[in-house]
Structure formats: C-alpha cells, structure tokens
Amino acid sequence: MIKRLLIANRGDIAVRIIRTCKELNIETVAIYSEIDKESLHRYMADESICIGPNNINKSYNNIDNIIYLAKKMKCDAIHPGFGFLSENVNFAKACIDNDIIFVGPTPNQIELMGNKSKARETMINLNVPVVPGSKSILENKEEAKKLAKSIGYPVMIKASSGGGGKGMRIIYKEDEFDSLFDIAKSEALASFGDSSLYMEKYIENPRHIEVQVFGDKFNNAIHLGDRDCSMQRRNQKLIEESLSAYLNEDQRNNLYKTSVEVTQGIGYIGAGTIEFIVDQDKNFYFIEMNTRIQVEHPVTEMITGIDLIKLQLLIASGKEIPFTQEDIKFRGHAIECRINAEDSNEDFKPCPGKIESLHIPGGFGVRFDTFIYPGYTIPPIYDSMLGKLICIADNREECISRMDRALDEIIIEGITTNIDFQRELISSKEFNDNTHHTKFIETEFIKNSNV
C-alpha cells in the first residue's frame, strides 16, 4: 500500500485527498505556492512545502520541481487531483521514470484519451456511437469547410487537446466559418500549446450525461452509475446530479454496458469518466473521457457509499477492485451545486477577497466540500470555485427541497458568490420538470432571472 503521498494540487480536492489518506494511515505532503501559504490543505497535511511563486507554470504546473520535492520528501506516490497536471502525459511519465506511483491511468491511456481526435477514433473502432464529424484532426480550413457542408450546419469546432470550453466554437452558417475557425485555432494554441482541431455536428439543446468507471491491473472494470451535468454555463458545469432522471432503465443500462466495454477495451486503470451528450430522442454519443477524478465525484459517493479517492489509492497500490458490479447498490438521489466566488450580475466576473464570516450548512443529508475558512483570502489567480454543496435524499423532489434549504443556510460574507444564482437555478420550473439542457442558462434562464 502507498505509504507517503504528495498531493500535486490545492483547494477542495487537496483537502478531500488528505482526509481519505488520514483514514488509511497514509502520510501526506502538501505543496503550495507563495500566494497559497494560508491555504487549508497545507495545514491539514502531515507536512507541507512551498513549490514556487504565484505563477502557475512555476508552481503547480512545474513538473521538475514537483518530482524533485516528492523524492526529497521520500514520497512513494503522487496524487494529481483534477486540473493542473492531472491529465498531463509528461507528468505521468516523469513519475514512472522516477519510481514514483502516479495515482491515475498509464501515460499511454492519458495520451490516447487526452487527445480528443484520437479518442474519437478509438471509440469508432470500439463501435461506440459518436457525433457525426471528422474521423481525425482537420488538416486545413478548406477540408474543414467541405466536411461542414457535407454533415450540415450547425457544426462545432473543438480543440483536439482541449477541455473546459477552450478552443471551441459553434458555427451556424458558412459565411462565419473562416473567422470562427481561426479564433478556435488561436485559442487552442494559447490554451493547450496545440492548435489542432476536429469537428462534430452540433447537437442542439442536448443533455450531458457521464458515467463513472474504474479499472484495475487485473482487467476488472466496473461503473458506479451516471451523473447528469446538463446545467452548464459556457460549457462549465454548475449543477450535477446522480442518477440522471432523464433516462429510463433500458437507456441507462445501455449506457453502462457501453462504458464498461470501453474501459475494458482500452485496458483502463484507475478512475475515469466517460462523457456523452444525449439528444432529444435519447440517442447518446461519446464526446470525451476524462482520465482523472472529477470535480463532481461526491454525488457518486453519496449514492453508492463508496469513497472514490480510497478506490483510486487502492488501485494505484496494485490492488484489485475490492467488489464486483453486483455489489454496487444505488441509494436515493444526490445533487451538487458548485459555489463560486463570482458576481452573476456582472457577467460572472471572479470576486476574490477576504472571507469575513462563514456558516456551513448541516443537517441530515448535507455535505460541503471546501477549503475556505473565516479570515482566509481567496487569491485572484486560480479558479473561482469555493466548494461544492452536496445533498442526498430518497428521491429527486426531496433532494431539490433539501438543496434549497442548504443554499438558504449557507453564509459566506466578505465576497460576492453565486449562491443566490444557484438557488434560482434549482428553483426554476425547467430544472424541477427536468426539461433543462446544456444551453438552458444562456438561452433561457438568464433572460428571465432576477439575479
């Protein structure tokens, strides 16, 4: 079993990993940048050490420094969390080259699934439904325009090495193709160091449903249910729930069967999430696989009772998944709201600053994963997420009511947050009727919102 773990991350996921490690008697080493010297994770870990200055590339994305510190601090493993280097193939290789366990899949699997066009090719070869589009990277603009005409507008241009909405543009008609193609290419290069693009038919108003999978070194593969992440703004998830109320049992089982077959088909090791869009006729199409733990993993933990970080650490230690698919039982319904330091009245601009006071909601079926505390100053250079508020209840209706109560109870003073905006979202008729979609916030909700 892993004895001493370096956590190559910050914020709520670093705190989350430390808590599981304490229960497993695994020693933890936290890294932090200069601006993060008051961050909660460095106080919770057994030891902590400054990784570098505020510049991300000189701290949390500095592979050489992280490997050096892991060896200096005698760590036998590194957990990358999510974001930063979590899906960086060079980081995974560097860990292996230095006899350090990388808590995640193999470098080859990260490379295969991290390149969206290669992942798409792989899914086609595994007979997994994909959105009509390019079979591989687009060679040039002229080829792309011909393909767009053949599959029909609207189309979506996407960065091959991308994620989080970067390098992504929807093109509705031919006369806007050239400018949007160039913008996507430039943005992809700036964000990922790779300007390659691929194309998909744009499915209007889809649902976004993903399946949590795990694989081990013994070729065992399981799923832990699905998550509906359709409540998004600009391709960033705001609310996630499990299980999705959009699918019937046959559709759900088909999705699970496909996901497990993919996991086994590529010999996947560790935690992964296979993401699909589902159209209005309930047809599902593969869009990508994330080769890391997800931000929204707590809703899966709530309905299964399984600690996903613990399972990651067990598998990384070379152990077999300690249960079978038949052992996994789903209980109730869980919803997660992402609480961000942002102003919904000012185009969701980030709102860093000092937290003057904090009240964390409690009561039956309520959980808040966070790294903030009274007196802590939110730095201006990282993601604006403050934490995740998660509720579980016997059914979706009761869970929505519980989340409304918890959002009413949470108090964060000193900075502006999206709490009121989240409360309006979960109270909306469309969310309660389960008729929302990935573009609902931008095309319908904000126009009618009082926030």
Side-chain angles (χ1 to χ4, degrees), residues 39-280:
S39 192
L40 183 62
H41 75 287
R42 71 158 295 205
Y43 295 118
M44 289 181 63
D46 294 301
E47 293 188 66
S48 63
I49 188 165
C50 184
I51 187 65
N54 299 343
N55 185 309
I56 292 173
N57 290 327
K58 293 181 179 180
S59 55
Y60 295 109
N61 280 348
N62 191 324
I63 294 175
D64 290 341
N65 279 9
I66 293 171
I67 295 295
Y68 169 77
L69 288 179
K71 295 173 74 174
K72 179 181 178 181
M73 304 297 286
K74 295 183 169 59
C75 296
D76 56 345
I78 295 178
H79 196 306
F82 49 66
F84 294 128
L85 296 172
S86 61
E87 294 179 286
N88 186 298
V89 65
N90 292 323
F91 184 48
K93 286 178 179 176
C95 289
I96 293 169
D97 290 344
N98 286 275
D99 296 320
I100 298 169
I101 297 169
F102 177 78
V103 182
T106 68
N108 287 342
Q109 290 162 352
I110 294 174
E111 188 170 34
L112 178 64
M113 291 296 109
N115 185 299
K116 303 301 186 288
S117 59
K118 288 182 180 178
R120 180 182 170 86
E121 288 182 65
T122 302
M123 294 306 125
I124 291 171
N125 292 334
L126 291 172
N127 296 315
V128 176
V130 297
V131 179
S134 57
K135 293 183 179 179
S136 57
I137 292 171
L138 297 168
E139 294 295 331
N140 52 59
K141 191 186 300 181
E142 288 67 36
E143 177 207 350
K145 288 175 79 171
K146 287 180 182 178
L147 180 60
K149 195 169 184 178
S150 69
I151 64 177
Y153 288 93
V155 297
M156 181 180 284
I157 297 289
K158 302 173 81 172
S160 184
S161 298
K166 301 292 186 183
M168 181 187 296
R169 289 295 183 276
I170 301 167
I171 305 176
Y172 288 94
K173 49 189 178 180
E174 188 172 359
D175 60 10
E176 61 186 19
F177 192 97
D178 288 352
S179 61
L180 292 179
F181 184 92
D182 291 340
I183 290 170
K185 198 172 187 67
S186 298
E187 193 171 275
L189 181 62
S191 299
F192 311 110
D194 179 6
S195 65
S196 60
L197 304 172
Y198 69 105
M199 182 192 298
E200 291 177 346
K201 172 74 176 174
Y202 178 58
I203 307 296
E204 298 196 68
N205 300 335
R207 297 291 283 252
H208 182 132
I209 299 175
E210 60 191 30
V211 179
Q212 177 71 63
V213 295
F214 275 85
D216 63 25
K217 296 176 182 177
F218 305 92
N219 203 33
N220 297 309
I222 59 165
H223 72 80
L224 294 176
D226 61 82
R227 297 185 288 257
D228 195 319
C229 308
S230 301
M231 195 63 88
Q232 304 178 8
R233 189 187 72 85
R234 296 178 184 172
N235 301 304
Q236 294 290 325
K237 301 166 185 174
L238 283 177
I239 298 176
E240 301 98 352
E241 53 185 319
S242 188
L243 299 168
S244 174
Y246 190 67
L247 304 175
N248 63 37
E249 283 307 301
D250 286 343
Q251 294 159 348
R252 193 187 312 282
N253 289 333
N254 191 17
L255 203 64
Y256 294 166
K257 181 175 181 291
T258 299
S259 299
V260 171
E261 287 175 351
V262 167
T263 308
Q264 286 187 312
I266 62 174
Y268 190 79
I269 298 170
T273 300
I274 305 178
E275 305 200 0
F276 301 89
I277 56 173
V278 183
D279 67 20
Q280 295 171 358

